[in-house]
Coordinates of all heavy atoms in Angstrom, one line a residue:
M585 N -0.4 -16.6 -3.3 CA -0.1 -15.6 -2.3 C -1.1 -15.7 -1.2 O -2.3 -15.7 -1.4 CB -0.2 -14.2 -3.0 CG -0.2 -13.0 -2.0 SD -0.3 -11.4 -2.8 CE -1.9 -11.5 -3.7
T586 N -0.6 -15.8 0.0 CA -1.4 -15.9 1.2 C -1.2 -14.6 2.0 O -0.1 -14.2 2.2 CB -1.0 -17.1 2.1 OG1 -1.1 -18.3 1.3 CG2 -1.9 -17.2 3.3
S587 N -2.4 -14.0 2.4 CA -2.3 -12.8 3.1 C -3.6 -12.5 3.8 O -4.6 -12.9 3.3 CB -1.9 -11.6 2.2 OG -2.1 -10.4 2.8
A588 N -3.5 -11.7 4.8 CA -4.7 -11.2 5.4 C -5.2 -10.0 4.6 O -6.3 -9.6 4.8 CB -4.4 -10.7 6.9
C589 N -4.4 -9.5 3.7 CA -4.8 -8.4 2.8 C -4.4 -8.6 1.4 O -3.5 -7.8 0.9 CB -4.2 -7.1 3.4 SG -4.7 -5.7 2.5
P590 N -4.9 -9.5 0.7 CA -4.6 -9.7 -0.7 C -5.3 -8.6 -1.6 O -6.2 -8.0 -1.2 CB -5.0 -11.1 -1.1 CG -6.2 -11.3 -0.2 CD -5.9 -10.5 1.1
G591 N -4.8 -8.5 -2.8 CA -5.5 -7.7 -3.8 C -6.6 -8.5 -4.4 O -7.1 -9.5 -3.8
G592 N -7.0 -8.2 -5.6 CA -8.0 -9.0 -6.3 C -7.5 -10.4 -6.7 O -6.5 -10.5 -7.4
D593 N -8.1 -11.4 -6.2 CA -7.6 -12.8 -6.5 C -8.4 -13.5 -7.5 O -8.5 -14.7 -7.6 CB -7.6 -13.6 -5.2 CG -6.6 -13.1 -4.2 OD1 -5.5 -12.6 -4.6 OD2 -6.9 -13.2 -3.0
Q594 N -9.1 -12.7 -8.4 CA -10.0 -13.3 -9.3 C -9.3 -13.9 -10.5 O -9.9 -14.6 -11.3 CB -11.1 -12.3 -9.8 CG -12.1 -11.8 -8.8 CD -11.5 -11.0 -7.7 OE1 -10.5 -10.2 -8.0 NE2 -12.0 -11.1 -6.5
G595 N -8.1 -13.5 -10.8 CA -7.4 -14.1 -11.9 C -7.3 -13.0 -13.0 O -8.0 -12.0 -13.0
Y596 N -6.4 -13.3 -14.0 CA -6.1 -12.3 -15.0 C -7.4 -12.0 -15.8 O -8.1 -12.9 -16.3 CB -5.1 -12.9 -16.0 CG -4.7 -11.9 -17.1 CD1 -4.0 -10.8 -16.8 CD2 -5.2 -12.1 -18.3 CE1 -3.7 -9.9 -17.9 CE2 -4.9 -11.3 -19.4 CZ -4.2 -10.1 -19.1 OH -3.9 -9.3 -20.1
G597 N -7.6 -10.7 -16.0 CA -8.7 -10.2 -16.9 C -10.1 -10.3 -16.2 O -11.1 -9.8 -16.8
A598 N -10.2 -10.9 -15.1 CA -11.5 -10.9 -14.4 C -11.8 -9.6 -13.7 O -11.0 -9.1 -13.0 CB -11.5 -12.1 -13.4
P599 N -13.0 -9.1 -13.8 CA -13.4 -7.9 -13.1 C -13.4 -8.2 -11.6 O -13.8 -9.3 -11.2 CB -14.7 -7.5 -13.6 CG -15.3 -8.8 -14.1 CD -14.2 -9.6 -14.6
G600 N -12.9 -7.3 -10.8 CA -12.9 -7.6 -9.4 C -13.1 -6.3 -8.6 O -13.3 -5.2 -9.2
P601 N -13.2 -6.5 -7.3 CA -13.4 -5.3 -6.4 C -12.2 -4.4 -6.4 O -11.1 -4.7 -6.9 CB -13.6 -6.0 -5.1 CG -12.8 -7.2 -5.1 CD -12.9 -7.7 -6.6
A602 N -12.4 -3.2 -5.9 CA -11.3 -2.3 -5.8 C -10.2 -2.9 -4.9 O -10.4 -3.8 -4.1 CB -11.8 -1.0 -5.1
P603 N -9.0 -2.4 -5.1 CA -7.9 -2.9 -4.3 C -8.2 -2.7 -2.8 O -8.8 -1.8 -2.4 CB -6.7 -2.0 -4.7 CG -7.0 -1.5 -6.0 CD -8.5 -1.4 -6.0
R604 N -7.7 -3.7 -2.0 CA -8.0 -3.7 -0.6 C -6.9 -3.0 0.2 O -7.1 -2.5 1.3 CB -8.1 -5.1 -0.1 CG -9.4 -5.8 -0.7 CD -9.4 -7.3 -0.4 NE -9.3 -7.6 1.0 CZ -9.1 -8.8 1.5 NH1 -9.0 -9.8 0.7 NH2 -9.1 -9.0 2.8
L605 N -5.7 -2.8 -0.5 CA -4.6 -2.1 0.1 C -4.6 -0.6 -0.4 O -4.6 -0.4 -1.6 CB -3.3 -2.8 -0.2 CG -2.0 -2.2 0.4 CD1 -2.1 -2.3 2.0 CD2 -0.8 -2.8 -0.1
V606 N -4.7 0.3 0.5 CA -4.8 1.7 0.1 C -3.6 2.5 0.8 O -3.4 2.4 2.0 CB -6.1 2.4 0.6 CG1 -6.1 3.9 0.3 CG2 -7.3 1.7 0.0
V607 N -2.9 3.2 -0.1 CA -1.8 4.0 0.4 C -2.2 5.5 0.2 O -2.5 5.9 -0.9 CB -0.5 3.8 -0.3 CG1 0.7 4.6 0.2 CG2 -0.1 2.3 -0.2
H608 N -2.4 6.2 1.3 CA -2.9 7.6 1.3 C -1.9 8.6 0.8 O -0.7 8.3 0.9 CB -3.5 7.9 2.6 CG -4.8 7.1 2.9 ND1 -6.0 7.5 2.5 CD2 -4.9 5.9 3.5 CE1 -6.9 6.6 2.9 NE2 -6.3 5.6 3.5
P609 N -2.3 9.8 0.4 CA -1.3 10.8 0.0 C -0.3 11.1 1.1 O -0.6 11.0 2.3 CB -2.2 12.0 -0.3 CG -3.6 11.5 -0.5 CD -3.7 10.3 0.4
P610 N 0.9 11.6 0.7 CA 1.9 12.0 1.6 C 1.4 13.2 2.5 O 0.7 14.1 1.9 CB 3.1 12.4 0.8 CG 2.8 11.9 -0.6 CD 1.3 11.7 -0.7
D611 N 1.7 13.2 3.7 CA 1.4 14.3 4.6 C 2.5 15.4 4.4 O 3.4 15.2 3.6 CB 1.1 13.9 6.0 CG 2.4 13.4 6.8 OD1 3.5 13.5 6.2 OD2 2.2 12.8 7.9
H612 N 2.5 16.4 5.3 CA 3.5 17.5 5.2 C 4.9 17.0 5.4 O 5.8 17.7 5.0 CB 3.1 18.6 6.1 CG 3.3 18.2 7.6 ND1 2.3 17.5 8.2 CD2 4.3 18.5 8.4 CE1 2.7 17.3 9.5 NE2 3.9 17.9 9.6
R613 N 5.1 15.8 5.9 CA 6.4 15.3 6.2 C 6.8 14.3 5.1 O 7.9 13.8 5.1 CB 6.5 14.6 7.5 CG 6.3 15.5 8.7 CD 5.9 14.7 9.9 NE 4.7 14.0 9.7 CZ 4.0 13.4 10.7 NH1 4.4 13.4 11.9 NH2 2.8 12.9 10.4
G614 N 5.8 13.9 4.2 CA 6.1 12.9 3.2 C 5.7 11.5 3.6 O 6.0 10.5 2.9
W615 N 5.1 11.4 4.8 CA 4.7 10.1 5.3 C 3.3 9.7 4.8 O 2.5 10.6 4.6 CB 4.7 10.1 6.9 CG 6.0 10.4 7.5 CD1 7.2 10.6 6.8 CD2 6.2 10.7 8.9 NE1 8.2 10.9 7.8 CE2 7.6 11.0 9.0 CE3 5.4 10.6 10.0 CZ2 8.2 11.2 10.2 CZ3 6.0 10.9 11.2 CH2 7.4 11.2 11.3
R616 N 3.1 8.4 4.6 CA 1.8 8.0 4.0 C 1.2 6.9 4.9 O 1.8 6.0 5.3 CB 2.1 7.4 2.6 CG 2.8 8.4 1.7 CD 3.0 7.9 0.4 NE 1.8 7.9 -0.4 CZ 1.7 7.9 -1.7 NH1 2.8 7.9 -2.4 NH2 0.5 8.0 -2.3
R617 N -0.1 7.1 5.2 CA -0.9 6.2 5.9 C -1.2 5.0 5.0 O -1.5 5.2 3.8 CB -2.2 6.8 6.4 CG -2.0 7.8 7.5 CD -3.4 8.4 7.9 NE -4.0 9.1 6.8 CZ -5.3 8.7 6.4 NH1 -6.0 7.8 7.0 NH2 -5.8 9.4 5.4
V618 N -1.2 3.8 5.6 CA -1.5 2.6 4.8 C -2.6 1.8 5.5 O -2.6 1.6 6.7 CB -0.2 1.7 4.7 CG1 -0.5 0.4 3.9 CG2 1.0 2.4 4.1
R619 N -3.6 1.5 4.7 CA -4.8 0.8 5.2 C -5.1 -0.4 4.4 O -4.8 -0.5 3.2 CB -6.0 1.7 5.3 CG -5.7 3.0 6.1 CD -6.9 3.9 6.2 NE -8.0 3.3 6.9 CZ -8.1 3.4 8.3 NH1 -7.2 3.9 9.0 NH2 -9.2 2.9 8.9
C620 N -5.7 -1.4 5.1 CA -6.2 -2.6 4.4 C -7.6 -2.9 4.9 O -7.8 -3.1 6.1 CB -5.3 -3.8 4.6 SG -5.9 -5.3 4.0
D621 N -8.5 -3.0 4.0 CA -9.9 -3.3 4.4 C -10.4 -2.3 5.5 O -11.1 -2.6 6.4 CB -10.1 -4.7 4.9 CG -10.0 -5.7 3.8 OD1 -10.2 -5.4 2.6 OD2 -9.7 -6.9 4.1
G622 N -9.9 -1.0 5.3 CA -10.3 0.0 6.3 C -9.6 0.0 7.6 O -9.8 0.9 8.4
R623 N -8.7 -1.0 7.8 CA -7.9 -1.1 9.0 C -6.5 -0.5 8.8 O -5.9 -0.8 7.8 CB -7.8 -2.6 9.4 CG -7.2 -2.8 10.8 CD -7.0 -4.2 11.1 NE -5.7 -4.6 10.5 CZ -5.5 -5.7 9.8 NH1 -6.5 -6.5 9.5 NH2 -4.3 -6.0 9.4
S624 N -6.1 0.3 9.7 CA -4.8 1.0 9.6 C -3.7 -0.1 9.8 O -3.7 -0.9 10.8 CB -4.6 2.1 10.6 OG -3.3 2.6 10.6
L625 N -2.7 -0.1 8.9 CA -1.6 -1.0 9.0 C -0.4 -0.2 9.6 O 0.5 -0.8 10.2 CB -1.2 -1.6 7.7 CG -2.2 -2.5 7.0 CD1 -1.6 -3.1 5.8 CD2 -2.7 -3.6 8.0
G626 N -0.4 1.1 9.4 CA 0.7 2.0 9.9 C 0.9 3.2 9.0 O 0.2 3.4 8.1
T627 N 2.0 3.9 9.3 CA 2.4 5.0 8.5 C 3.8 4.7 7.9 O 4.7 4.3 8.6 CB 2.6 6.3 9.4 OG1 1.3 6.5 10.0 CG2 3.0 7.5 8.6
A628 N 3.8 4.7 6.6 CA 5.0 4.4 5.8 C 5.9 5.6 5.6 O 5.4 6.7 5.2 CB 4.7 3.8 4.5
Y629 N 7.1 5.5 5.9 CA 8.1 6.6 5.7 C 8.9 6.4 4.4 O 9.5 7.3 3.9 CB 9.1 6.7 6.8 CG 8.4 6.7 8.2 CD1 8.4 5.5 8.9 CD2 7.7 7.8 8.6 CE1 7.7 5.5 10.2 CE2 7.0 7.8 9.8 CZ 7.0 6.6 10.6 OH 6.3 6.6 11.8
R630 N 8.8 5.2 3.8 CA 9.4 4.8 2.6 C 8.7 3.5 2.1 O 7.9 2.9 2.8 CB 10.9 4.5 2.8 CG 11.2 3.3 3.7 CD 12.6 3.1 4.0 NE 13.2 4.0 5.0 CZ 12.9 4.0 6.3 NH1 12.0 3.3 6.7 NH2 13.6 4.8 7.1
I631 N 8.8 3.2 0.8 CA 8.1 2.1 0.2 C 8.4 0.8 0.9 O 7.5 -0.1 1.1 CB 8.3 2.0 -1.3 CG1 7.3 1.1 -2.0 CG2 9.7 1.6 -1.6 CD1 7.2 1.3 -3.5
S632 N 9.6 0.6 1.4 CA 9.9 -0.7 2.0 C 9.1 -0.9 3.3 O 8.9 -2.1 3.7 CB 11.4 -0.8 2.3 OG 11.8 0.3 3.2
D633 N 8.6 0.1 3.9 CA 7.8 0.0 5.1 C 6.5 -0.8 4.8 O 6.0 -1.5 5.7 CB 7.4 1.4 5.7 CG 8.6 2.1 6.3 OD1 9.6 1.5 6.7 OD2 8.5 3.4 6.3
I634 N 6.0 -0.6 3.6 CA 4.8 -1.3 3.3 C 4.9 -2.8 3.3 O 4.1 -3.5 3.8 CB 4.2 -0.8 1.9 CG1 3.9 0.7 2.0 CG2 3.0 -1.6 1.5 CD1 3.6 1.4 0.7
A635 N 6.1 -3.3 2.8 CA 6.3 -4.7 2.9 C 6.4 -5.2 4.3 O 5.9 -6.3 4.6 CB 7.6 -5.1 2.1
V636 N 6.9 -4.4 5.2 CA 7.0 -4.8 6.6 C 5.6 -4.9 7.2 O 5.2 -5.8 7.9 CB 7.8 -3.8 7.4 CG1 7.7 -4.0 8.9 CG2 9.3 -3.8 7.0
F637 N 4.7 -3.9 6.8 CA 3.3 -4.0 7.3 C 2.6 -5.2 6.7 O 1.8 -5.9 7.5 CB 2.5 -2.8 6.8 CG 3.0 -1.4 7.3 CD1 2.8 -0.3 6.6 CD2 3.8 -1.3 8.5 CE1 3.2 0.9 7.0 CE2 4.3 -0.1 8.9 CZ 4.0 1.0 8.2
L638 N 2.8 -5.6 5.5 CA 2.2 -6.7 4.9 C 2.7 -8.0 5.5 O 1.9 -8.9 5.8 CB 2.4 -6.8 3.4 CG 1.8 -5.7 2.6 CD1 2.2 -5.7 1.1 CD2 0.2 -5.7 2.7
A639 N 3.9 -8.1 5.8 CA 4.5 -9.3 6.5 C 3.8 -9.4 7.9 O 3.5 -10.5 8.3 CB 6.0 -9.2 6.7
A640 N 3.6 -8.3 8.6 CA 3.0 -8.3 9.9 C 1.5 -8.8 9.8 O 1.0 -9.3 10.8 CB 3.0 -6.9 10.5
T641 N 0.9 -8.7 8.6 CA -0.5 -9.2 8.5 C -0.5 -10.8 8.2 O -1.5 -11.4 8.2 CB -1.3 -8.6 7.3 OG1 -0.7 -9.0 6.1 CG2 -1.3 -7.1 7.4
G642 N 0.7 -11.3 8.0 CA 0.8 -12.7 7.8 C 1.1 -13.1 6.3 O 1.1 -14.3 6.0
M643 N 1.3 -12.1 5.5 CA 1.5 -12.4 4.1 C 2.9 -13.1 3.9 O 3.9 -12.6 4.5 CB 1.5 -11.1 3.3 CG 1.9 -11.3 1.8 SD 2.0 -9.8 0.9 CE 0.3 -9.5 0.6
E644 N 2.8 -14.2 3.2 CA 4.1 -14.9 2.8 C 4.8 -14.1 1.7 O 4.1 -13.6 0.8 CB 3.8 -16.3 2.4 CG 3.1 -17.1 3.5 CD 2.7 -18.5 3.0 OE1 3.0 -18.9 1.8 OE2 1.9 -19.1 3.7
D645 N 6.1 -14.0 1.7 CA 6.8 -13.3 0.7 C 6.4 -11.9 0.4 O 6.2 -11.4 -0.7 CB 6.8 -14.1 -0.6 CG 7.3 -15.5 -0.5 OD1 8.3 -15.7 0.2 OD2 6.7 -16.5 -1.1
A646 N 6.1 -11.2 1.5 CA 5.6 -9.8 1.4 C 6.6 -8.9 0.6 O 6.1 -8.0 0.0 CB 5.4 -9.2 2.8
E647 N 7.9 -9.2 0.7 CA 8.8 -8.4 0.0 C 8.7 -8.5 -1.5 O 9.2 -7.7 -2.3 CB 10.3 -8.7 0.4 CG 10.8 -10.1 0.0 CD 10.3 -11.2 1.0 OE1 9.7 -10.9 2.0 OE2 10.6 -12.3 0.7
D648 N 8.0 -9.6 -2.0 CA 7.8 -9.8 -3.4 C 6.4 -9.2 -3.9 O 6.1 -9.3 -5.1 CB 7.9 -11.3 -3.8 CG 9.3 -11.8 -3.5 OD1 10.3 -11.0 -3.7 OD2 9.4 -13.0 -3.1
F649 N 5.6 -8.7 -3.0 CA 4.3 -8.2 -3.4 C 4.5 -7.0 -4.4 O 5.3 -6.1 -4.2 CB 3.6 -7.7 -2.1 CG 2.2 -7.2 -2.3 CD1 1.2 -8.1 -2.4 CD2 1.9 -5.9 -2.4 CE1 -0.1 -7.7 -2.6 CE2 0.6 -5.5 -2.6 CZ -0.4 -6.4 -2.7
D650 N 3.7 -7.0 -5.5 CA 3.8 -6.0 -6.5 C 3.1 -4.8 -6.1 O 1.9 -4.7 -6.4 CB 3.3 -6.6 -7.8 CG 3.5 -5.6 -9.0 OD1 4.1 -4.5 -8.8 OD2 3.1 -6.0 -10.1
L651 N 3.8 -3.8 -5.5 CA 3.2 -2.6 -5.1 C 2.8 -1.7 -6.3 O 2.2 -0.6 -6.1 CB 4.1 -1.8 -4.1 CG 4.3 -2.5 -2.8 CD1 5.4 -1.9 -2.0 CD2 3.0 -2.5 -2.0
T652 N 3.3 -2.0 -7.5 CA 3.0 -1.2 -8.7 C 1.7 -1.6 -9.4 O 1.3 -0.9 -10.3 CB 4.1 -1.2 -9.7 OG1 4.3 -2.5 -10.2 CG2 5.4 -0.7 -9.0
D653 N 1.1 -2.7 -9.0 CA -0.1 -3.2 -9.7 C -1.3 -2.5 -9.2 O -1.7 -2.7 -8.0 CB -0.2 -4.7 -9.4 CG -1.3 -5.4 -10.2 OD1 -2.2 -4.7 -10.7 OD2 -1.3 -6.6 -10.3
P654 N -2.0 -1.8 -10.0 CA -3.2 -1.0 -9.5 C -4.4 -1.9 -9.2 O -5.3 -1.5 -8.5 CB -3.6 -0.1 -10.7 CG -2.9 -0.8 -11.9 CD -1.7 -1.5 -11.4
A655 N -4.3 -3.2 -9.6 CA -5.4 -4.1 -9.1 C -5.2 -4.6 -7.7 O -6.1 -5.0 -7.0 CB -5.4 -5.4 -10.0
L656 N -4.0 -4.3 -7.2 CA -3.6 -4.7 -5.8 C -3.5 -3.6 -4.8 O -3.8 -3.7 -3.7 CB -2.3 -5.5 -5.8 CG -2.2 -6.7 -6.7 CD1 -0.8 -7.3 -6.6 CD2 -3.2 -7.8 -6.2
V657 N -3.1 -2.4 -5.3 CA -2.8 -1.3 -4.5 C -3.5 0.0 -5.1 O -3.3 0.3 -6.2 CB -1.3 -1.0 -4.3 CG1 -1.1 0.1 -3.3 CG2 -0.6 -2.3 -3.9
D658 N -4.2 0.7 -4.2 CA -4.8 2.0 -4.6 C -3.9 3.1 -4.0 O -3.9 3.4 -2.8 CB -6.2 2.2 -4.0 CG -6.8 3.5 -4.3 OD1 -6.3 4.3 -5.1 OD2 -7.9 3.7 -3.8
W659 N -3.0 3.7 -4.9 CA -2.1 4.7 -4.5 C -2.8 6.0 -4.7 O -3.2 6.4 -5.8 CB -0.8 4.7 -5.4 CG 0.1 3.6 -5.1 CD1 0.1 2.4 -5.7 CD2 1.1 3.6 -4.1 NE1 1.1 1.6 -5.1 CE2 1.7 2.4 -4.2 CE3 1.6 4.5 -3.2 CZ2 2.8 2.0 -3.4 CZ3 2.6 4.2 -2.4 CH2 3.3 3.0 -2.5
R660 N -3.0 6.8 -3.6 CA -3.7 8.0 -3.6 C -2.7 9.2 -3.4 O -1.9 9.1 -2.6 CB -4.8 8.1 -2.6 CG -5.8 7.0 -2.8 CD -6.9 7.0 -1.7 NE -7.9 6.0 -2.0 CZ -8.9 5.7 -1.2 NH1 -9.1 6.4 -0.1 NH2 -9.7 4.7 -1.5
G661 N -2.9 10.2 -4.3 CA -2.0 11.4 -4.1 C -0.6 11.1 -4.6 O 0.3 11.8 -4.1
G662 N -0.4 10.2 -5.5 CA 0.9 9.9 -6.0 C 1.2 8.4 -5.9 O 0.7 7.8 -5.0
G663 N 2.0 7.9 -6.9 CA 2.3 6.5 -6.9 C 3.4 6.1 -5.9 O 3.8 6.9 -5.0
P664 N 4.0 4.9 -6.2 CA 5.0 4.4 -5.3 C 6.3 5.2 -5.2 O 7.1 5.0 -4.3 CB 5.2 3.0 -5.8 CG 4.6 2.9 -7.1 CD 3.6 4.0 -7.2
D665 N 6.5 6.1 -6.2 CA 7.7 6.9 -6.1 C 7.5 8.3 -5.5 O 8.4 9.1 -5.4 CB 8.2 7.1 -7.6 CG 8.6 5.8 -8.2 OD1 9.1 4.9 -7.5 OD2 8.5 5.7 -9.4
C666 N 6.3 8.6 -5.0 CA 6.0 9.9 -4.5 C 5.9 9.8 -2.9 O 5.1 9.2 -2.3 CB 4.6 10.3 -5.0 SG 4.1 11.9 -4.3
W667 N 6.9 10.4 -2.3 CA 7.0 10.5 -0.9 C 7.2 11.9 -0.3 O 7.7 12.1 0.8 CB 8.1 9.5 -0.4 CG 7.8 8.1 -0.7 CD1 8.1 7.5 -1.8 CD2 7.0 7.3 0.1 NE1 7.5 6.2 -1.8 CE2 6.8 6.1 -0.6 CE3 6.4 7.4 1.4 CZ2 6.1 5.0 -0.1 CZ3 5.7 6.3 1.9 CH2 5.5 5.1 1.2
T668 N 6.7 12.9 -1.1 CA 6.7 14.2 -0.7 C 5.3 14.8 -1.0 O 4.7 14.4 -1.9 CB 7.8 15.1 -1.4 OG1 7.6 15.1 -2.8 CG2 9.2 14.6 -1.0
Q669 N 4.9 15.8 -0.2 CA 3.6 16.4 -0.4 C 3.7 17.2 -1.7 O 4.7 17.9 -1.9 CB 3.3 17.3 0.8 CG 1.9 17.8 0.8 CD 1.6 18.6 2.0 OE1 2.4 19.4 2.5 NE2 0.4 18.5 2.5
P670 N 2.6 17.1 -2.5 CA 2.6 17.9 -3.7 C 2.7 19.4 -3.4 O 2.2 19.9 -2.4 CB 1.3 17.6 -4.4 CG 0.8 16.3 -3.7 CD 1.5 16.3 -2.3
E671 N 3.3 20.2 -4.3 CA 3.4 21.6 -4.2 C 1.9 22.2 -4.3 O 1.1 21.7 -5.1 CB 4.2 22.2 -5.3 CG 5.7 21.8 -5.2 CD 6.5 22.5 -4.1 OE1 6.2 23.6 -3.8 OE2 7.4 21.8 -3.5
A672 N 1.6 23.2 -3.5 CA 0.3 23.8 -3.5 C 0.1 24.7 -4.8 O 0.9 25.1 -5.4 CB 0.1 24.6 -2.3

């Protein structure tokens, strides 16, 4: 995988740094900010938007990136299936 924003590339079972791709909690509209290495990639309205952002960073085969792997993605405020703000 080649990317400007890969996850941990240390290999299976190797301890590594925290994921470099962070998906923030949904806002009041259900939109989620997406950051890589502290740099904003955009606001995702659906999970497919994240692949578009990754492709824009130069990632090859961004549509095949495993967004469910916690070693690669830090989902905050809900996982990849959460696109609404939690009830108060």
Side-chain angles (χ1 to χ4, degrees):
M585 170 177 60
T586 301
S587 170
C589 184
D593 291 327
Q594 289 74 29
Y596 179 76
R604 294 169 56 192
L605 183 64
V606 177
V607 182
H608 291 273
D611 67 12
H612 66 280
R613 299 163 293 192
W615 300 354
R616 302 181 79 157
R617 290 179 301 120
V618 181
R619 300 181 71 81
C620 174
D621 290 339
R623 189 183 87 227
S624 177
L625 298 184
T627 301
Y629 310 104
R630 65 185 79 66
I631 196 167
S632 59
D633 293 335
I634 299 172
V636 173
F637 299 155
L638 294 174
T641 70
M643 175 183 279
E644 297 173 11
D645 301 320
E647 67 278 357
D648 295 329
F649 185 79
D650 186 1
L651 292 168
T652 64
D653 186 341
L656 302 176
V657 184
D658 179 7
W659 287 92
R660 299 182 181 174
D665 296 327
C666 179
W667 292 90
T668 58
Q669 187 178 38
E671 297 286 327

